[in-house]
C-alpha cells in the first residue's frame, strides 16, 4: 500500500512537471530583460552602412519598479535604433546597499557599465575599479547638456567626473491618501505629535498609518533624515562628514520621535521585511494612509490614485518649527549615475553607452514620468503633462536652500552601514533613542578613526 | 607484488591531482585568511601590518557579540529541534508493527532535498505578518498570538533557526533511524525478561548504543548553527539592523561593504577557532569508544 | 522490535507516538503542499477566501506568468552542468587518491590522508574571500569552472573518507592475484577495484550531486553572469519582482522543487544510504 502511495505520488509529480515544462517551452522569449538588438537591425542596414562589430556589454542597473523599469526599457528601445550593434546583458541591481557591486569589484567581475553613487564611487576609485570620465569622448557634449542646477550630480567633490548622472536633486516626500484622512476625520499633521495621534486613530480603524519598505535600509535612513532636517537643514550629511554628533539636539530629538512613532504603531507589521512592491501596494490600494518614498513615486501614485493622493510638508517639532522648516527636504543629489569599469574589454563603447543611457533616462523621466528633476536638459516632446503633485513641488523647489541626504549619497562607508542598521532597528520599535544615540556616536568615532 | 604497490610514478599520478586541487582551492585561501587577519587592508591597496589589533578591535565591537550570540542560539535551536524531534521520530518509526513507515520516512526527508532558496522563500511567505500561514493558523484557532516573526529582534533569529531546523530535521532522523535499525535484536532480549517499558528500554539500551551517531549529529548541527549564513541572507539580510548577523555575515560585511578586508579575515579566523573548539568539546563530551555488536 | 509484552501502558505509548509521527508528517509536508496549492490560486483566494485548502479554480496562468519572465530552463541547465562535472571531477580524483592512500605503500601516506580530510573541519565560507581573488587570477571568474573547481575541492574530503573506508575493507589478495597474472597497477585499479566499490561510488555520487545542486553561498558570491546562474540563484531573482503576486511566486518555487522531489522519490533508498554513510565516516 505504501509503495502504491509513493508511486502514485511520483506519477502525479511527473505529470505536473511535464505540464510546467510545456508551459516553459511555450514562452519563446523568457528572458525579457536581456535585449538582443542585433538580429533585426543589421540585416537591413548591412548593404548601405559598414557593419560595426557586434558588442555585448554587461550592465548592472535597477530594474524593479515602474520608475526604474520604464527608463531602462525606453533607453534600450532607443539604442536599438541608434546603436544596433550593441547588445546589453542586464544584471539586475540587488537592493543590498551595494554589497554585490563591491563583491564584483573585489573579485574583478565588475560589469562594463554599472549604476554608482555616493560611497561606492570613493570605494571603487581607491581601488581603480571605476573609470575617470573627465577626458572621455562623450563627456564634453554631456557636460554641455547638463542642467546648471544639477551640476553637483556630475562633478565629484574631488573635481573629477566618475559617472554620467541622470537624476537631478531628488527628494523624499511624505505621500498621503486624502480620502482616508477625510473619511476618519484625521487632520493632516503639521507636528510630529499630531502624526502620532493620526497613527493611533488609523490603527484603531485597522488602517496602516504609514507603509514603509524598510527591507531597503535607505528608507529608514530617509525617515530619520526627514526628522533631523526639521532642526538641522543639512540633516545626516552633517554626521556623514563628521561635523556633528548624534547626541546633538537635532539628532537626539529625531531619534526620540522616530522611536515614539514606531512605538505608536506608525508602520505596518513586519516593516523591516517589507519590500517596495509590498509597501507600495498597501498605499495604492488604500490599506495604508501614508507612504514614504522619493518624488519618483508621483507618477505611479497619480496614475493609480488620481486626485486622492497628495504629499504633505513633513510635520515639525511645533507649529513654529513647521513653518520654519517646511522647505527643508531630505534627499538631494550627489555624484552618481552610470559608470564604466576600467577593465572593460570594450571601454570606449561602454563609455558611449553609459553617456547615452543616462541621457535617455533623463529624457524618459522628464517626458513620460512627470518629473522635471533630472540631470540633463531635455528637448523631446512631452508625452505626459506634469501631475498636480509635481506642479506643487515645482513651486517649492526654488525655495529649497539645502538638503539632507539620501543614504546612497553618503560618502563614509562605515558611517553609512552604521546608520542603515541603526535606523532599521528604530523601525522595529524595539530600540530606544538612547541606544541609537550611543551606538551612532560610537560608530561616528569609529568611522573616522585612522 | 610489493614492487607494484610501491610504484612511485603511479602514486604520484594517483595523488597529485587531489593534493593539488585541495591545496590551491582550500588550504592556500585559508592560510591567506589567517595571514591577512594581522593586516589593516582594504582588499586591494597597500596592506599595513598591525599584528593583533584587528582582534582587539573585535572585542570592542558590539556586532561581534551579537554575531557570536546568534551563532550559538542558532546552534542550540538546531540541536534541540533536529536531534530532539529526530530521536523521537526515529524511535517511533523503528517499531516493526508500525504501518505507513515508508511514507513517513519519505515525508520527513523531502525538505532536505529542496533548495535552500525555495525553503527560505516559502517560509518568508509563511511568516508574513498579515497573510502568512502561521499567523493565519493562530487566527483560525482564535489565539491572538500574531507576531512579526522576522522583524522583531527577539524572535527573528529563532524564526530563522526554525526554518533551518525544519529543512534538515529529516537528515538527522534518517541517520538516527539507520543507527537504531543496525542494533541487533538480541540486545533487547534482556529487557524483555525484565519487562521494562519501551521508553525505558530505549533509554537504557538504544541510546547508549548509538552515541557515535549522536556525536556526528551534534557536530553537524553545531557547525550548521555557527556557520549559518544563507538563511539570514535570503530571509532578513541580517536585519532588522544587525540583529540576525552571524560571524560569516559579519566577515563578509567587513570584507565587501566597509572595505575592512583584514578585519573580515580576523572574524573568519575566530569562526574557524570556534568551530574547531566545538568539535573538540563534542568529541570529549560524547563517549569515544566505538561499541561493537 | 516486538519485545515488550503488550500492556495497557504500552498501548498508550503507541498511540502517543503514532499521533506524533503523523503530526510531524503534516509539519514536514504541509508547507510544500500549501505552496503547490497557492501556486494555483490568486491573491484573493490565498489571503481571504481559501488560504489553506485545495485550489478551487486551477489558475494555470500563474505558471505561464512565472515562466514568461523567469528563465527556468536556463537555470536548470546550468545546475545540471555544474552538478554533473562536480560529481565526475570529485569522484575521479578522490578515488585515485584514496586508492593510493589505502592500498599502496609510500611514505607520508597517512599524513597526506589526514591533510585531505582536514577540509571537513574547516568552515568553508572562510575561504570565500581569498578564493574569489584566486579565481580572478586564474581568469576563470564567472565561468562554470568558478563553481565546479571550488565544489570539487569542497567535496573531496568527504569522498576520500568514504572511499578510503571502503577500500581498506577489501581483501588485499584480490590485487595480488591480479599482479601475479601480470596486470599493472593501473589495470588492476580499473578492472578490479572500481567494479568492487561501485556501491560506494553510487553513494558518493548522490551525496555530492545534492550538495552541488543546492549550493548557494559560493554561487551567490562568485557568479554574476546571468547566463550561468544556477537554480538557487535564479530563484532569488523574484525577491524583487513577484512579491505581491504570490501565485506566480508559488509557481516558480513549485517548478523548481519538483525535479529534486522526484529524484528523491525514485532513489530514496540510495539517497538515504548516501547520507548515512556520510555520518559513519564523518563521526
Amino acid at each position: 500500500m505504501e509503495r502504491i502511495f509513493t508511486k502514485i505520488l511520483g506519477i502525479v509529480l511527473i505529470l505536473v512537471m511535464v505540464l510546467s515544462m510545456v508551459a516553459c517551452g511555450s514562452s519563446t522569449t523568457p528572458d525579457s530583460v536581456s535585449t538582443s538588438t542585433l538580429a533585426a537591425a543589421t540585416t537591413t542596414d548591412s548593404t548601405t552602412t559598414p557593419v560595426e562589430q557586434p558588442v555585448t556589454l554587461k550592465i548592472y542597473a535597477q530594474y524593479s519598479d515602474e520608475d526604474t523599469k520604464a527608463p531602462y526599457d525606453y533607453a534600450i528601445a532607443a539604442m536599438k535604433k541608434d546603436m544596433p550593434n550593441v547588445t546589453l546583458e542586464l544584471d539586475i541591481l540587488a537592493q543590498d546597499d551595494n554589497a554585490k557591486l563591491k563583491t564584483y569589484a573585489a573579485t574583478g567581475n565588475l560589469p562594463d557599465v554599472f549604476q554608482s553613487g555616493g560611497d561606492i564611487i570613493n570605494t571603487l576609485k581607491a581601488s581603480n575599479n571605476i573609470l575617470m570620465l573627465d577626458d572621455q569622448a562623450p563627456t564634453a557634449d554631456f557636460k554641455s547638456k547638463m542642467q546648471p542646477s544639477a551640476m553637483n550630480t556630475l562633478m565629484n567633490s574631488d573635481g573629477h567626473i566618475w559617472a554620467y548622472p541622470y537624476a537631478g536633486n531628488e527628494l523624499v516626500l511624505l505621500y498621503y491618501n486624502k480620502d482616508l484622512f477625510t473619511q476618519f476625520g484625521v487632520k493632516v499633521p503639521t507636528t510630529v505629535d499630531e502624526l502620532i495621534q493620526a497613527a493611533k486613530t488609523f490603527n484603531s480603524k485597522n488602517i496602516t498609518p504609514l507603509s514603509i519598505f524598510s527591507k531597503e535600509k535607505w528608507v529608514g535612513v530617509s525617515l530619520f533624515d526627514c526628522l533631523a532636517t526639521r532642526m538641522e537643514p543639512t540633516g545626516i550629511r552633517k554626521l556623514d562628514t563628521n561635523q556633528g554628533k548624534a547626541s546633538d539636539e537635532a539628532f537626539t530629538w529625531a531619534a526620540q520621535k522616530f522611536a515614539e512613532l514606531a512605538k505608536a504603531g506608525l508602520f505596518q507589521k513586519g516593516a523591516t521585511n517589507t519590500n517596495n512592491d509590498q509597501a507600495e501596494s498597501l498605499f495604492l490600494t488604500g490599506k495604508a494612509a501614508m507612504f514614504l518614498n522619493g518624488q519618483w513615486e508621483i507618477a505611479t501614485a497619480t496614475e493609480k490614485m488620481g486626485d486622492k493622493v497628495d504629499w504633505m510638508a513633513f510635520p515639525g517639532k511645533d507649529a513654529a518649527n513647521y513653518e520654519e522648516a517646511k522647505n527643508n527636504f531630505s534627499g538631494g543629489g550627489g555624484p552618481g549615475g552610470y559608470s564604466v569599469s576600467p577593465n572593460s574589454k570594450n571601454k570606449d563603447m561602454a563609455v558611449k553607452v553609459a553617456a547615452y543611457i543616462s541621457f535617455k533616462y533623463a529624457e524618459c523621466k522628464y517626458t513620460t514620468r512627470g518629473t522635471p528633476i533630472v540631470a540633463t536638459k531635455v528637448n523631446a516632446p512631452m508625452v505626459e503633462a506634469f501631475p498636480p503633485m509635481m506642479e506643487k513641488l515645482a513651486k517649492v523647489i526654488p525655495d529649497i536652500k539645502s538638503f539632507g541626504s539620501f543614504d546612497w549619497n553618503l560618502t563614509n562607508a562605515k558611517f553609512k552601514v552604521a546608520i542603515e542598521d541603526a535606523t532599521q532597528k528604530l523601525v522595529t520599535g524595539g530600540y530606544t533613542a538612547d541606544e541609537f544615540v550611543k551606538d551612532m556616536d560610537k560608530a561616528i568615532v569609529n568611522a573616522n578613526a585612522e | 607484488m610489493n614492487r607494484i604497490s610501491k610504484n612511485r610514478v603511479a602514486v604520484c599520478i594517483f595523488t597529485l591531482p587531489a593534493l593539488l586541487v585541495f591545496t590551491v582551492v582550500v588550504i592556500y585561501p585559508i592560510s591567506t585568511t589567517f595571514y591577512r587577519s594581522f593586516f589593516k587592508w582594504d582588499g586591494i591597496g597597500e596592506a599595513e601590518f598591525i599584528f593583533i589589533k584587528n582582534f582587539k578591535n573585535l572585542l570592542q565591537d558590539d556586532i561581534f557579540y551579537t554575531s557570536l550570540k546568534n551563532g550559538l542560539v542558532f546552534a542550540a535551536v538546531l540541536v534541540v529541534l533536529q536531534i530532539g524531534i529526530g530521536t523521537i521520530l526515529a524511535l517511533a518509526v523503528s517499531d516493526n508493527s508500525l504501518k505507513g513507515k515508508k511514507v513517513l520516512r519519505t515525508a520527513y526527508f523531502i525538505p532536505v532535498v529542496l533548495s535552500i532558496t525555495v525553503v527560505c522563500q516559502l517560509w518568508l511567505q509563511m511568516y508574513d505578518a498579515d497573510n502568512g500561514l502561521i499567523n493565519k493558523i493562530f487566527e483560525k484557532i482564535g489565539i491572538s498570538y500574531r507576531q512579526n516573526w522576522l522583524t522583531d529582534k527577539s524572535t527573528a533569529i529563532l524564526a530563522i533557526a526554525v526554518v533551518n531546523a525544519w529543512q534538515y530535521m529529516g537528515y538527522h532522523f534518517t541517520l538516527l533511524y539507520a543507527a537504531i535499525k543496525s542494533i541487533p535484536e538480541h540486545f533487547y532480549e534482556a529487557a524483555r525478561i525484565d519487562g521494562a517499558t519501551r521508553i525505558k528500554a530505549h533509554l537504557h539500551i538504544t541510546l547508549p548504543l548509538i552515541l557515535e551517531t549522536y556525536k556526528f549529529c551534534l557536530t553537524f548541527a553545531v557547525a550548521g548553527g555557527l556557520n549559518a549564513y544563507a538563511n539570514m541572507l535570503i530571509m532578513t539580510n541580517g536585519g532588522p539592523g544587525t540583529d540576525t548577523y552571524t560571524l560569516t555575515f559579519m566577515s563578509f560585511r567587513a570584507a565587501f561593504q566597509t572595505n575592512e578586508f583584514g578585519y573580515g579575515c580576523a572574524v573568519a579566523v575566530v569562526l574557524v577557532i570556534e568551530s574547531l573548539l566545538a568539535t573538540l568539546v563534542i568529541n570529549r563530551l560524547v563517549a569515544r569508544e566505538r561499541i561493537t555488536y | 522490535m516486538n519485545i515488550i509484552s503488550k500492556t495497557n501502558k504500552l498501548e498508550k505509548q503507541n498511540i502517543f507516538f503514532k499521533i506524533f509521527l503523523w503530526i510531524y508528517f503534516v509539519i514536514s509536508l504541509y508547507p510544500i503542499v500549501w505552496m503547490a496549492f497557492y501556486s494555483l490560486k490568486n491573491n484573493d483566494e490565498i489571503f481571504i477566501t481559501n488560504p489553506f485548502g485545495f485550489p478551487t479554480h486551477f489558475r494555470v496562468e500563474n505558471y505561464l506568468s512565472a515562466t514568461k519572465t523567469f528563465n527556468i530552463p536556463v537555470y536548470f541547465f546550468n545546475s545540471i552542468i555544474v552538478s554533473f562535472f562536480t560529481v565526475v571531477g570529485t569522484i575521479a580524483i578522490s578515488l585515485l587518491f584514496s586508492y593510493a592512500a589505502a592500498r599502496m605503500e609510500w611514505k607520508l601516506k597517512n599524513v597526506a590522508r589526514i591533510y585531505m580530510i582536514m577540509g571537513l573541519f574547516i568552515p568553508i565560507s572562510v575561504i570565500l574571500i581569498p578564493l574569489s581573488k584566486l579565481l580572478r587570477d586564474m581568469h576563470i571568474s564567472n565561468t562554470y569552472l568558478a563553481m565546479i573547481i571550488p565544489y570539487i575541492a569542497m567535496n573531496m574530503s568527504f569522498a576520500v573518507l568514504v572511499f578510503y573506508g571502503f577500500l581498506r575493507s577489501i581483501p588485499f589478495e584480490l590485487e595480488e592475484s591480479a599482479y601475479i597474472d601480470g596486470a599493472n597497477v593501473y589495470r588492476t585499479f580499473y578492472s578490479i577495484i572500481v567494479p568492487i566499490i561501485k556501491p560506494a561510488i553510487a553513494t558518493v555520487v548522490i551525496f555530492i550531486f545534492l550538495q552541488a545542486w543546492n549550493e548557494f553561498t559560493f554561487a551567490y558570491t562568485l557568479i554574476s553572469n546571468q547566463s550561468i546562474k544556477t537554480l538557487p540563484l535564479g530563484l532569488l531573482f523574484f525577491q524583487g519582482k513577484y512579491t505581491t503576486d504570490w501565485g506566480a511566486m508559488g509557481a516558480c518555487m513549485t517548478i523548481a522543487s519538483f525535479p529534486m522531489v522526484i529524484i528523491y522519490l525514485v532513489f530514496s533508498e540510495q539517497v538515504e544510504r548516501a547520507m548515512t554513510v556520510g555520518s559513519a565516516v564523518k563521526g
Side-chain angles (χ1 to χ4, degrees):
Chain A
M1 178 252 159
E2 294 164 26
R3 279 247 163 115
I4 296 170
F5 173 82
T6 318
K7 268 186 190 157
I8 292 175
L9 197 53
I11 290 167
V12 170
L13 294 183
I14 288 168
L15 274 178
V16 174
M17 193 177 72
V18 169
L19 274 177
S20 58
M21 279 315 194
V22 170
C24 290
S26 70
S27 58
T28 42
T29 50
D31 200 358
S32 71
V33 292
S34 107
T35 314
S36 166
T37 57
L38 220 64
T42 41
T43 42
T44 47
D45 291 349
S46 55
T47 45
T48 49
T49 48
V51 185
E52 283 190 73
Q53 278 300 309
V55 181
T56 303
L57 296 175
K58 240 196 280 178
I59 181 166
Y60 186 66
Q62 279 180 291
Y63 194 82
S64 56
D65 57 0
E66 270 314 295
D67 196 64
T68 52
K69 277 180 190 166
Y72 184 85
D73 293 339
Y74 180 91
I76 294 304
M79 262 182 78
K80 224 175 242 187
K81 276 186 237 116
D82 296 348
M83 300 180 179
N85 59 319
V86 180
T87 308
L88 290 185
E89 192 187 305
L90 173 62
D91 186 5
I92 293 174
L93 187 138
Q95 293 294 359
D96 61 358
D97 308 300
N98 284 326
K100 185 99 189 163
L101 194 60
K102 284 176 186 169
T103 313
Y104 285 165
T107 56
N109 285 335
L110 268 183
D112 302 283
V113 180
F114 55 90
Q115 288 182 344
S116 68
D119 80 301
I120 192 77
I121 292 183
N122 290 336
T123 305
L124 296 179
K125 191 173 79 179
S127 55
N128 286 324
N129 272 309
I130 186 166
L131 186 70
M132 192 195 285
L133 300 169
D134 295 12
D135 303 318
Q136 296 295 331
T139 303
D141 179 51
F142 196 93
K143 212 169 169 176
S144 70
K145 286 178 183 155
M146 285 294 293
Q147 305 236 30
S149 63
M151 282 307 276
N152 62 330
T153 60
L154 181 69
M155 304 299 290
N156 202 27
S157 53
D158 60 9
H160 294 296
I161 297 169
W162 301 98
Y164 294 119
Y166 46 85
N169 287 301
E170 301 189 297
L171 36 83
V172 177
L173 292 178
L174 182 55
Y175 299 90
Y176 70 105
N177 185 325
K178 287 193 274 190
D179 281 11
L180 286 178
F181 273 78
T182 343
Q183 188 185 337
F184 297 113
V186 181
K187 171 179 178 284
V188 177
T190 54
T191 68
V192 174
D193 293 327
E194 286 174 12
L195 184 58
I196 293 174
Q197 277 313 313
K200 286 181 180 154
T201 314
F202 282 121
N203 270 326
S204 68
K205 309 287 181 201
N206 260 336
I207 299 278
T208 296
L210 190 154
S211 78
I212 182 173
F213 45 108
S214 194
K215 185 161 198 170
E216 293 177 27
K217 293 181 179 173
W218 72 265
V219 186
V221 176
S222 281
L223 181 61
F224 181 77
D225 194 38
C226 283
L227 287 160
T229 46
R230 292 315 93 197
M231 285 192 274
E232 173 53 62
T234 56
I236 55 171
R237 247 188 319 143
K238 194 167 179 187
L239 301 179
D240 181 44
T241 49
N242 198 20
Q243 288 164 356
K245 290 195 296 184
S247 43
D248 295 348
E249 196 201 342
F251 301 108
T252 311
W253 177 80
Q256 278 162 356
K257 291 300 159 186
F258 201 138
E260 278 178 45
L261 288 165
K263 270 248 148 62
L266 182 70
F267 313 115
Q268 78 278 17
K269 286 196 204 69
T272 59
N273 234 20
T274 308
N275 64 24
N276 186 327
D277 257 16
Q278 296 160 328
E280 187 189 46
S281 88
L282 279 180
F283 181 66
L284 296 180
T285 56
K287 288 183 190 124
M290 290 171 279
F291 184 50
L292 191 79
N293 203 353
Q295 98 291 332
W296 54 83
E297 181 70 25
I298 287 180
T300 313
T302 310
E303 182 195 326
K304 297 272 162 64
M305 299 172 68
D307 55 4
K308 282 198 301 190
V309 59
D310 198 0
W311 61 267
M312 62 173 99
F314 204 83
K317 189 180 177 187
D318 45 43
N321 175 260
Y322 172 75
E323 283 304 322
E324 177 195 322
K326 70 178 179 190
N327 288 337
N328 293 0
F329 280 86
S330 170
Y338 273 107
S339 297
V340 175
S341 162
N343 309 319
S344 167
K345 288 197 192 88
N346 300 297
K347 213 187 294 179
D348 291 338
M349 185 51 84
V351 173
K352 210 171 139 192
V353 167
Y356 182 84
I357 291 197
S358 293
F359 191 71
K360 286 293 165 191
Y361 261 51
E363 198 172 283
C364 171
K365 281 168 177 276
Y366 193 96
T367 59
T368 70
R369 305 287 306 160
T371 174
I373 305 178
V374 292
T376 44
K377 294 173 206 155
V378 174
N379 284 323
M382 294 296 285
V383 178
E384 296 266 341
F386 292 143
M389 278 198 286
M390 185 54 80
E391 298 286 354
K392 180 174 159 190
L393 185 60
K395 278 182 206 133
V396 178
I397 286 176
D399 296 329
I400 300 177
K401 285 171 202 76
S402 79
F403 288 102
S405 176
F406 277 117
D407 169 65
W408 53 83
N409 287 326
L410 296 174
T411 54
N412 186 319
K414 286 188 212 171
F415 170 75
K416 177 172 179 284
V417 169
I419 195 165
E420 283 170 356
D421 288 337
T423 48
Q424 198 184 39
K425 284 187 196 176
L426 278 177
V427 172
T428 63
Y431 189 58
T432 65
D434 289 347
E435 287 173 302
F436 177 88
V437 169
K438 194 178 117 247
D439 289 350
M440 280 315 297
D441 269 345
K442 198 168 160 186
I444 290 170
V445 171
N446 190 13
N448 294 290
E450 235 342 281
Chain B
M1 178 261 156
N2 264 349
R3 217 168 357 109
I4 296 171
S5 71
K6 276 183 181 165
N7 184 339
R8 286 185 173 232
V9 180
V11 168
C12 286
I13 293 177
F14 282 2
T15 57
L16 277 185
L19 289 172
L20 192 77
V21 171
F22 189 69
T23 307
V24 171
V25 181
V26 177
I27 299 299
Y28 166 73
I30 199 165
S31 346
T32 316
T33 304
F34 273 83
Y35 176 69
R36 287 298 178 191
S37 68
F38 299 114
F39 286 84
K40 181 185 164 76
W41 190 35
D42 65 3
I44 297 140
E46 293 269 303
E48 181 195 338
F49 182 75
I50 53 168
F51 197 40
I52 54 168
K53 191 150 174 276
N54 279 329
F55 294 93
K56 278 187 183 160
N57 289 343
L58 207 53
L59 295 177
Q60 309 286 319
D61 195 335
D62 294 337
I63 301 174
F64 174 65
Y65 294 103
T66 311
S67 307
L68 204 60
K69 192 197 83 200
N70 282 340
L72 296 173
V73 169
F74 209 103
V77 172
L78 296 196
V79 169
V80 171
L81 290 185
Q82 295 182 334
I83 302 183
I85 296 177
T87 302
I88 299 174
L89 295 177
L91 288 176
V93 174
S94 66
D95 178 354
N96 280 335
S97 64
L98 185 79
K99 294 224 174 70
K101 209 180 290 185
K102 177 78 183 133
V103 174
L104 288 169
R105 280 171 45 202
T106 309
Y108 297 157
F109 201 80
I110 281 180
V112 179
V113 300
L114 298 182
S115 152
I116 192 163
T117 325
V118 168
V119 170
C120 290
Q121 299 277 9
L122 172 60
W123 279 80
L124 269 179
Q125 318 257 293
M126 304 226 308
Y127 280 134
D128 190 279
D130 287 315
N131 303 312
L133 184 65
I134 293 179
N135 279 346
K136 278 244 186 289
I137 289 176
F138 279 123
E139 200 180 286
K140 265 271 140 59
I141 40 181
I143 302 173
S144 59
Y145 191 66
R146 291 160 58 103
Q147 294 275 333
N148 301 326
W149 299 101
L150 288 169
T151 56
D152 185 309
K153 77 173 168 196
S154 52
T155 55
I157 188 71
L158 295 174
I160 299 173
V162 165
V163 175
N164 191 297
W166 176 81
Q167 185 174 11
Y168 294 109
M169 198 295 301
Y171 181 53
H172 292 261
F173 162 80
T174 306
L175 296 181
L176 293 166
Y177 175 75
I180 293 168
K181 273 294 172 195
S182 69
I183 301 174
E185 275 291 305
H186 68 79
F187 273 81
Y188 295 96
E189 312 264 317
R192 188 187 303 176
I193 296 158
D194 290 352
T197 65
R198 179 139 90 234
I199 290 179
K200 265 197 192 143
H202 282 320
L203 273 181
H204 293 125
I205 302 170
T206 316
L207 298 187
L209 284 174
I210 57 171
L211 272 185
E212 276 298 317
T213 307
Y214 272 115
K215 200 162 84 187
F216 173 75
C217 288
L218 259 179
T219 315
F220 188 81
V222 169
L226 299 182
N227 290 302
Y229 172 71
N231 285 105
M232 32 279 274
L233 178 78
I234 302 171
M235 297 184 70
T236 61
N237 197 19
T242 50
D243 288 335
T244 54
Y245 267 51
T246 56
L247 287 179
T248 311
F249 219 105
M250 190 185 171
S251 97
F252 286 179
R253 155 169 144 150
F256 296 133
Q257 265 187 280
T258 56
N259 315 320
E260 300 165 292
F261 195 93
Y263 194 54
C265 288
V267 179
V269 167
V270 172
L271 181 60
V272 174
I273 295 169
E274 190 191 27
S275 302
L276 289 180
L277 263 178
T279 314
L280 219 72
V281 169
I282 291 167
N283 273 291
R284 273 285 155 84
L285 284 182
V286 183
R288 258 209 113 77
E289 59 276 23
R290 231 169 238 279
I291 294 142
T292 42
Y293 318 120
Chain C
M1 242 176 281
N2 236 339
I3 37 171
I4 303 149
S5 55
K6 287 201 186 248
T7 63
N8 272 342
K9 205 174 175 188
L10 187 65
E11 288 285 304
K12 266 186 207 155
Q13 279 178 22
N14 261 339
I15 290 169
F16 167 76
F17 276 122
K18 262 186 198 151
I19 292 174
F20 188 74
L21 285 171
W22 289 102
I23 287 179
Y24 202 86
F25 173 84
V26 173
I27 295 177
S28 254
L29 281 192
Y30 185 65
I32 305 167
V33 172
W34 178 65
M35 169 178 90
F37 280 175
Y38 79 61
S39 74
L40 292 163
K41 299 177 187 173
N42 67 15
N43 275 5
D44 223 36
E45 292 163 277
I46 300 169
F47 297 155
I48 302 152
T49 54
N50 179 16
F52 306 108
F54 200 77
T56 42
H57 322 274
F58 281 64
R59 295 181 197 276
V60 186
E61 63 267 27
N62 286 339
Y63 282 81
L64 292 177
S65 83
T67 46
K68 217 171 270 169
T69 33
F70 183 66
N71 208 351
I72 289 182
V74 170
Y75 299 133
F76 249 113
F77 176 76
N78 292 336
S79 278
I80 288 170
I81 294 274
V82 170
S83 308
F84 175 78
F85 285 104
T86 302
V87 167
V88 171
T90 315
I91 299 284
I93 56 181
S94 314
L95 195 52
L96 288 174
F97 178 88
S98 312
Y99 180 74
R103 303 186 77 86
M104 294 179 78
E105 305 288 328
W106 45 293
K107 275 188 214 162
L108 297 177
K109 68 174 187 177
N110 281 322
V111 177
R113 181 172 59 90
I114 291 166
Y115 177 76
M116 291 293 297
I117 289 166
M118 266 164 46
L120 289 176
F121 302 99
I122 298 169
I124 208 72
S125 57
V126 166
I127 69 169
L128 190 52
I129 303 170
L131 178 68
S132 55
K133 283 179 188 290
L134 183 75
L135 293 171
R136 176 183 47 173
D137 295 342
M138 290 161 73
H139 297 287
I140 55 168
S141 45
N142 253 323
T143 62
Y144 286 127
L145 281 179
M147 287 180 275
I148 294 169
I149 291 178
Y151 289 0
I152 291 176
M154 281 157 56
N155 285 308
M156 250 170 9
S157 303
F158 169 76
V160 165
L161 255 179
V162 177
F163 289 144
Y164 182 83
F166 265 78
L167 287 166
R168 289 301 286 184
S169 68
I170 304 171
F172 281 84
E173 289 78 23
L174 268 175
E175 283 143 296
E176 276 168 37
S177 56
Y179 292 147
I180 290 162
D181 290 348
N184 65 19
V185 62
Y186 309 105
R187 186 163 184 82
T188 314
F189 171 75
Y190 184 73
S191 49
I192 310 250
I193 298 298
V194 171
I196 291 178
I197 64 162
K198 262 189 187 153
I201 295 179
T203 304
V204 177
V205 164
I206 292 170
F207 189 86
I208 295 175
F209 184 83
L210 279 173
Q211 298 282 323
W213 185 271
N214 285 337
E215 205 287 331
F216 175 79
T217 308
F218 273 57
Y220 176 78
T221 318
L222 297 173
I223 300 303
S224 60
N225 205 336
Q226 197 63 31
S227 59
I228 61 164
K229 279 183 179 168
T230 52
L231 211 51
L233 295 189
L235 291 172
L236 263 193
F237 184 67
F238 60 56
Q239 233 184 0
K241 295 203 92 183
Y242 298 110
T243 39
T244 44
D245 183 358
W246 283 38
M249 279 184 79
C252 284
M253 297 199 283
T254 309
I255 297 172
S257 304
F258 269 118
M260 271 338 228
V261 174
I262 287 169
I263 287 178
Y264 171 62
L265 290 181
V266 175
F267 297 106
S268 58
E269 311 256 306
Q270 286 88 333
V271 174
E272 282 167 20
R273 195 177 54 218
M275 296 297 187
T276 335
V277 169
S279 85
V281 288
K282 270 187 175 178

